């Protein structure tokens, strides 16, 4: 998984701002530290100084303190209590705000005894209420901001953990694929050896037979040609197996050029036609005459249709009909390889393109044909679909991107 730097959200920008830095400066967990916190004593000292200033004007201290009361404008000496209250709210939250407001109330109450006015309590009490409200509000706000910050940090940690898990999962998956490849290689070695050994043994038998007949001068032309045809068929079977294997192992990139699909299929049918005839399979060609050419690798397309048609022929051991249909659908070229063979069961449908999946008897199939077909189509950025009904037949549909300006 790649990490992309995400643009800073408003929240993040605010978080980095001076306001947030100030909040962060406040020591954490003050609430639980109480009197052991230096902030408690700073607030207490501030309260004491302000109380002194407050009473300087009304008590017998007035003679020393008239300087303060004269120096402060109306009510400012009381309003200054807001500083320790907000301070308490910031460090000790709601508890601190309420506690400091209570101290403030205790400070202003005795003043009534010395007041020369008739409404001595109304204004100071209103101020106490106001500062308490402001303190509690600040405390709640800070609480909220801190909670959000905490949630944000937790979310980041969770995200990092998740990324690590995803990475680990990917690594395990890679190891699993590697292990599966090794298992596949084992299976492959066994089946390939078997698969290639049979035709080679056949070729050996015919070669010996032919050489014996030639030595004894008893070889008839027709018989010899038949032996040679059989040898050719066996050798081309070996060649096909090796070619599939090489393609599966190498996963070569296609050499692209404009290809006429109808021509590819014609060449394939020329190669497999003999086998179709042997198995009593009728070949029906339904080619669209105005098929766009496709950008593809000619040899690899040949391999696709050789594998598909041979599979179709092998699915009809008692004869049947093989229909090859080409058509243009939207901007794509569609080629159907349809047979009237045994069909594919539902449980096997999902495994068809898995390397080394085969239902054929030993020596008849390696299980690489469709895996190779799938790989080639993928490299050509095309698609393949299968429709099948057991006992009725199967249709493989290949879709490749067409070039409209190049009609075949
Ligand atoms: P192989 O032909 O060596 O078995 P493939 O990958 O070409 O390997 O095919 C895998 C399996 O898919 C076959 O063993 C067969 O069961 C099934 N299959 C493929 N094509 C057809 C088809 N036209 N009709 C029925 N089954 C098919």
């Amino acid at each position: 998984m790649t990490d992309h730097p995400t643009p800073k959200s408003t929240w993040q920008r605010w978080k980095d701002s001076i306001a947030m830095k100030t909040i962060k400066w406040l020591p954490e967990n003050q609430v639980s530290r109480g009197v052991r916190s230096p902030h408690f004593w700073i607030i207490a000292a501030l309260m004491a100084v302000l109380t002194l200033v407050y009473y300087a004007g009304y008590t017998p201290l007035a003679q020393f303190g008239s300087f303060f009361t004269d120096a402060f404008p109306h009510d400012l000496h009381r309003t200054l209590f807001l500083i320790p209250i907000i301070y308490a709210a910031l460090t000790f939250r709601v508890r601190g705000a309420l506690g400091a407001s209570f101290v403030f109330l205790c400070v202003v109450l005795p003043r009534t005894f010395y007041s020369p006015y008739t409404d001595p309590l109304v204004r100071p009490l209103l101020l106490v209420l106001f500062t308490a409200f402001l303190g509690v509000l600040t405390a709640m706000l800070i609480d909220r901001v801190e909670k959000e910050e905490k949630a944000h940090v937790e979310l980041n940690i969770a995200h990092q953990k998740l990324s690590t898990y995803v990475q680990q999962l990917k690594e395990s998956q890679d190891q699993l694929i590697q292990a599966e490849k090794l298992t596949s290689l084992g299976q492959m070695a066994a089946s390939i050896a078997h698969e290639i050994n049979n035709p080679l043994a056949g070729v050996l038998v015919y070669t010996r037979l032919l050489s014996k007949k030639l030595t004894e001068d008893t070889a008839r032309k027709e018989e010899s040609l038949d032996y040679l045809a059989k040898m050719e068929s066996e050798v081309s079977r070996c060649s096909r197996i090796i070619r599939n294997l090489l393609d599966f192992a190498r996963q070569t990139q296609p050499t692209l050029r404009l290809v006429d699909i109808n021509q590819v299929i014609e060449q394939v049918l020329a190669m497999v036609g003999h086998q179709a005839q042997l198995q009593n399979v009728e070949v029906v060609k339904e080619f669209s005459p105005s098929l766009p050419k496709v950008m593809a690798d000619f040899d690899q397309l040949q391999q696709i249709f050789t594998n598909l048609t041979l599979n179709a022929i092998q699915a009809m051991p008692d004869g049947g009909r093989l229909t090859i249909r080409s058509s243009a659908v939207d901007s794509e070229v569609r080629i159907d390889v349809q047979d009237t063979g045994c069909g594919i069961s539902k449980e096997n449908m999902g495994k068809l393109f898995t390397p080394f999946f085969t239902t054929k008897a030993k020596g008849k199939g390696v299980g690489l044909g469709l895996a190779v077909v799938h790989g080639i189509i993928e490299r050509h950025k095309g698609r393949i679909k299968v429709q099948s009904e057991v006992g009725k037949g199967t249709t493989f549909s290949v879709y490749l991107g067409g070039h409209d300006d190049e009609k075949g």
Side-chain angles (χ1 to χ4, degrees):
M1 207 172 75
T2 47
D3 285 333
H4 299 288
T6 42
K8 275 196 170 186
S9 64
T10 321
W11 153 250
Q12 274 172 323
R13 263 181 275 131
W14 188 74
K15 201 182 77 179
D16 294 342
S17 72
I18 298 163
M20 201 56 206
K21 277 180 191 149
T22 316
I23 291 165
K24 276 196 169 169
W25 167 80
L26 294 170
E28 282 168 23
N29 297 325
Q30 285 304 327
V31 181
S32 58
R33 287 180 62 200
V35 289
R36 278 178 291 132
S37 157
H39 293 275
F40 178 87
W41 297 107
I42 296 171
I43 293 160
L46 270 172
M47 281 283 192
V49 170
L50 286 172
T51 309
L52 214 70
V53 171
Y54 184 56
Y55 277 101
Y58 308 111
T59 61
L61 284 171
Q63 45 188 313
F64 308 108
S66 58
F67 159 75
F68 294 106
T69 40
D70 293 346
F72 288 112
H74 202 57
D75 263 4
L76 183 66
H77 54 318
R78 272 195 294 259
T79 318
L80 283 177
F81 274 88
L82 202 60
I83 296 169
I85 290 172
I86 297 293
Y87 195 159
L90 290 176
T91 46
F92 299 101
R93 307 297 140 80
V94 177
R95 227 167 45 153
L98 289 176
S101 303
F102 180 71
V103 174
F104 184 29
L105 182 70
C106 294
V107 170
V108 296
L109 270 180
R111 172 203 174 276
T112 47
F113 302 114
Y114 303 101
S115 175
Y117 306 113
T118 47
D119 60 338
L121 262 178
V122 177
R123 272 184 22 202
L125 277 183
L126 275 179
L127 196 67
V128 168
L129 268 178
F130 173 69
T131 46
F133 171 73
L134 220 62
V136 170
L137 204 72
T138 311
M140 281 164 68
L141 200 76
I142 295 292
D143 257 355
R144 173 90 196 248
V145 166
E146 230 178 43
K147 264 185 201 151
E148 275 185 24
E149 168 73 2
K150 222 170 138 188
H152 193 70
V153 169
E154 273 169 13
L155 208 71
N156 262 344
I157 292 171
H159 180 259
Q160 272 170 8
K161 270 189 189 165
L162 202 72
S163 305
T164 319
Y165 290 149
V166 169
Q167 189 60 31
Q168 282 172 353
L169 208 69
K170 242 184 112 189
E171 277 165 20
S172 330
Q173 202 184 20
D174 286 349
Q175 282 170 359
L176 209 70
I177 290 170
Q178 198 55 32
E180 206 158 308
K181 260 195 175 171
L182 286 178
T183 319
S184 297
L185 269 176
Q187 282 180 2
M188 181 191 75
S191 52
I192 295 293
H194 195 88
E195 190 74 11
I196 291 177
N197 201 36
N198 280 356
L200 284 185
V203 171
L204 200 67
V205 168
Y206 290 125
T207 320
R208 280 184 184 152
L209 248 169
L210 203 62
S211 96
K212 192 178 164 220
K213 293 210 167 195
L214 285 172
T215 320
E216 292 168 356
D217 217 11
T218 53
R220 280 184 291 120
K221 192 184 169 191
E222 262 181 30
E223 199 184 28
S224 306
L225 282 175
D226 186 42
Y227 288 164
L228 283 172
K230 279 177 177 151
M231 277 156 67
E232 190 194 334
S233 143
E234 297 295 84
V235 168
S236 56
R237 203 173 129 199
C238 280
S239 150
R240 189 165 57 85
I241 293 165
I242 302 279
R243 211 172 138 192
N244 274 344
L245 196 65
L246 280 179
D247 197 84
F248 177 68
R250 265 195 272 121
Q251 302 273 303
T252 43
Q253 282 306 314
T255 322
L256 302 179
R257 65 185 169 94
L258 283 171
V259 175
D260 176 1
I261 295 265
N262 289 343
Q263 197 188 335
V264 175
I265 299 168
E266 285 288 9
Q267 285 203 7
V268 169
L269 288 178
M271 283 190 286
V272 302
H274 179 64
Q275 197 153 343
Q277 245 177 13
L278 277 179
Q279 269 184 233
N280 214 10
V281 171
E282 177 199 356
V283 179
V284 180
K285 291 184 275 185
E286 292 179 10
F287 291 172
S288 159
S290 57
L291 204 64
K293 285 187 175 176
V294 293
M295 233 348 157
D297 184 312
F298 192 92
D299 288 347
Q300 292 193 358
L301 286 195
Q302 252 193 354
Q303 205 175 346
I304 293 179
F305 296 108
T306 310
N307 288 348
L308 291 181
T309 46
L310 279 177
N311 273 346
I313 294 168
Q314 281 166 6
M316 300 181 279
D318 305 321
R321 196 172 55 248
L322 166 66
T323 312
I324 310 212
R325 202 175 296 115
S326 65
S327 55
V329 183
D330 298 330
S331 59
E332 285 178 314
V333 172
R334 171 180 169 168
I335 308 100
D336 290 338
V337 178
Q338 186 176 18
D339 65 60
T340 54
C342 57
I344 303 163
S345 68
K346 275 210 172 83
E347 75 226 54
N348 284 346
M349 284 293 261
K351 308 178 206 160
L352 289 181
F353 301 100
T354 311
F356 306 109
F357 169 76
T358 182
T359 56
K360 292 172 192 168
K362 271 213 162 139
K364 293 262 180 200
V366 195
L368 275 181
L370 288 180
V372 168
V373 165
H374 190 261
I376 295 175
I377 292 177
E378 219 170 45
R379 272 173 268 147
H380 280 80
K381 301 193 171 39
R383 296 174 289 137
I384 183 161
K385 284 186 186 170
V386 197
Q387 272 182 326
S388 188
E389 207 173 318
V390 177
K392 289 209 167 164
T394 307
T395 307
F396 281 87
S397 305
V398 177
Y399 297 80
L400 296 164
H403 279 249
D404 284 337
D405 46 334
E406 297 281 346
K407 299 276 178 189

